[in-house]
Amino acid sequence: MIEELSHEQILRYSRHLLMPEVGLQGQIKLKNSSALVIGTGGLGSPVALYLAAAGIGRIGLVDYDIVDSSNLQRQVIHGTSTVGKLKVESGRDRLQDLNPDIQVDIYNEPYTSENALRIAKDYDIIIDGTDNFPTRYLTNDVCVMLGKPNIYGSIFRFDGQVSVFHAEKGPCYRCLFPEPPPPGLVPSCAEGGVLGILPGTVGTLQATEALKVLLGIGEPLIGKLLLYNALDMSFDFVQLKKNPKCRVCGPNADIKELIDYEEFCGVPGHHADDTSAGADWDISPLEMKTRLERDPGLILLDVREPHELEIASIKGAKNIPLGEVAQRMAELDSAKDMVVFCKRGSRSARAIEILSSAGFKKMKNLKGGINAWAEEVDKSLPLY
């Protein structure tokens, strides 16, 4: 236990020390606290930065991705100089530059049911900065089993959510969402986009809740879900209650150990290959190029949104957004060969499922989407 602050630390945290709600003893409490941040992306960036600046003594970063230039629009913990570097290393270096007094642990590995308890057990709070349902449910169940607060946040386009799920004092995430939505119903930020500033707002709110919980001040968002919309700058609150039938935190809970979350959610977690419709359906960009040269009448179906056509397009492709495929399939000839594509291949894979259930058979999914086409065939097209 750290009993006092150095003169340098007193100067660094002086604005906290002037607040009676924090003061010297509160700052020492923060110095003795620890937080695990799951994900160093859009949400994890502001969370980790502000917790480090606030003087949280130990911060853990979990991620196993590398920094890509497309991250920099919102993932402000990284920079152009760290593109291609491991995200956890980029994040650690930035945090230690911001505050050399703190300890930063890094876990360059997928957060799974095999390692989650081991990684999380020694931290005071867990902060959910994830972008997929398997990891979100995993994080919740880990927090319930370890009795730790789960500082939750999620983002999409202009909307964000924040809450504190703490099963010992209120509901958990599963009380609110017992089952994940059907696969494909909720698009990812990679598919639907996100305002770059939004994760900064939501992540900062998460960091605020983390400090309140650690300091024991104010009213944390336990039993409340904050809803934020950036377009009309509105903040709304939904009151939450514990679900007595919750399978993980209820009195008759039957989930006593971590489960297979990818199977439970029906979607891959982390950065699994979601660009494939399966070996029987996939076609590579080079294979599609050969097919087009041999058969100029090959139908190309672009299932991206119309505004994406302004970014990049393949000449001659017919555009039917994924959400309209079921209603407009009469515009397609099931007797002709067709290649379906989108940005990366995930939406087109779902379009393949829809069309296949309606009897279409002569289809292929462009594996990797138009981005892969731009990388391997038409390098005049931009990546996005």
Side-chain angles (χ1 to χ4, degrees), residues 320-340:
I320 301 180
L322 175 63
E324 301 176 17
V325 167
Q327 292 75 35
R328 296 176 57 186
M329 62 177 66
E331 299 176 25
L332 303 170
D333 188 344
S334 62
K336 293 185 177 179
D337 290 332
M338 178 169 57
V339 175
V340 188

Side-chain angles (χ1 to χ4, degrees), residues 112-137:
T112 68
S113 56
E114 284 72 38
N115 63 14
L117 290 172
R118 167 179 59 82
I119 292 175
K121 62 183 178 64
D122 293 329
Y123 293 89
D124 297 321
I125 58 173
I126 313 299
I127 301 174
D128 182 356
T130 61
D131 61 358
N132 63 82
F133 287 106
T135 312
R136 192 167 291 160
Y137 279 93

Side-chain angles (χ1 to χ4, degrees), residues 30-98:
L30 294 180
K31 186 67 176 175
N32 286 317
S33 298
S34 59
L36 182 67
V37 182
I38 312 296
T40 56
L43 292 174
S45 290
V47 167
L49 285 168
Y50 275 102
L51 293 187
I56 301 297
R58 180 187 176 202
I59 298 175
L61 303 177
V62 183
D63 210 317
Y64 76 112
D65 201 0
I66 62 172
V67 181
D68 183 83
S69 60
S70 66
N71 302 148
L72 303 182
Q73 167 252 14
R74 64 203 177 281
Q75 299 181 17
V76 295
I77 201 171
H78 311 297
T80 303
S81 64
T82 63
V83 169
K85 189 173 183 177
L86 291 174
K87 282 188 174 180
V88 288
E89 293 183 353
S90 170
R92 177 194 59 197
D93 294 348
R94 178 69 183 95
L95 296 187
Q96 291 185 327
D97 177 60
L98 179 63

Side-chain angles (χ1 to χ4, degrees), residues 134 180-184 260-268:
D260 185 336
Y261 295 87
E262 295 189 5
E263 181 177 328
F264 172 67
C265 295
V267 295

Side-chain angles (χ1 to χ4, degrees), residues 18-253:
L18 293 170
M19 302 170 65
E21 294 84 356
V22 182
L24 181 62
Q25 294 307 311
Q27 192 62 50
I28 291 174
K29 184 182 291 187
L30 294 180
K31 186 67 176 175
N32 286 317
S33 298
S34 59
L36 182 67
V37 182
I38 312 296
T40 56
L43 292 174
S45 290
V47 167
L49 285 168
Y50 275 102
L51 293 187
I56 301 297
R58 180 187 176 202
I59 298 175
L61 303 177
V62 183
D63 210 317
Y64 76 112
D65 201 0
I66 62 172
V67 181
D68 183 83
S69 60
S70 66
N71 302 148
L72 303 182
Q73 167 252 14
R74 64 203 177 281
Q75 299 181 17
V76 295
I77 201 171
H78 311 297
T80 303
S81 64
T82 63
V83 169
K85 189 173 183 177
L86 291 174
K87 282 188 174 180
V88 288
E89 293 183 353
S90 170
R92 177 194 59 197
D93 294 348
R94 178 69 183 95
L95 296 187
Q96 291 185 327
D97 177 60
L98 179 63
N99 191 345
D101 292 337
I102 66 172
Q103 174 183 330
V104 182
D105 307 324
I106 61 173
Y107 304 91
N108 181 43
E109 53 190 299
Y111 192 63
T112 68
S113 56
E114 284 72 38
N115 63 14
L117 290 172
R118 167 179 59 82
I119 292 175
K121 62 183 178 64
D122 293 329
Y123 293 89
D124 297 321
I125 58 173
I126 313 299
I127 301 174
D128 182 356
T130 61
D131 61 358
N132 63 82
F133 287 106
T135 312
R136 192 167 291 160
Y137 279 93
L138 170 62
T139 300
N140 176 78
D141 294 0
V142 165
C143 288
V144 173
M145 293 176 188
L146 294 177
K148 299 181 185 294
N150 172 16
I151 315 297
Y152 161 80
S154 69
I155 52 174
F156 181 68
R157 291 188 173 168
F158 297 95
D159 295 298
Q161 298 180 355
V162 182
S163 189
V164 177
F165 295 113
H166 193 184
E168 295 181 356
K169 299 181 178 181
C172 78
Y173 180 76
R174 277 187 189 259
C175 290
L176 181 59
F177 302 111
E179 302 288 336
L185 181 64
V186 181
S188 68
C189 289
E191 294 176 337
V194 61
L195 183 70
I197 299 168
L198 178 69
T201 304
V202 173
T204 304
L205 291 170
Q206 286 181 275
T208 303
E209 291 301 298
L211 292 183
K212 286 161 58 181
V213 169
L214 291 172
L215 289 168
I217 62 175
E219 295 184 13
L221 288 171
I222 297 174
K224 293 181 181 179
L225 179 68
L226 181 153
L227 305 176
Y228 169 67
N229 179 272
L231 283 180
D232 58 17
M233 196 54 71
S234 63
F235 289 85
D236 296 308
F237 294 89
V238 177
Q239 295 292 327
L240 307 177
K241 294 182 178 180
K242 285 186 74 73
N243 179 359
K245 296 182 179 180
C246 180
R247 296 185 59 197
V248 70
C249 81
N252 300 310

Side-chain angles (χ1 to χ4, degrees), residues 2-17:
I2 298 169
E3 300 296 336
E4 59 183 23
L5 301 179
S6 68
H7 288 183
E8 291 79 7
Q9 290 170 337
I10 287 176
L11 179 60
R12 174 183 285 268
Y13 305 122
S14 61
R15 300 306 188 274
H16 272 175
L17 305 185

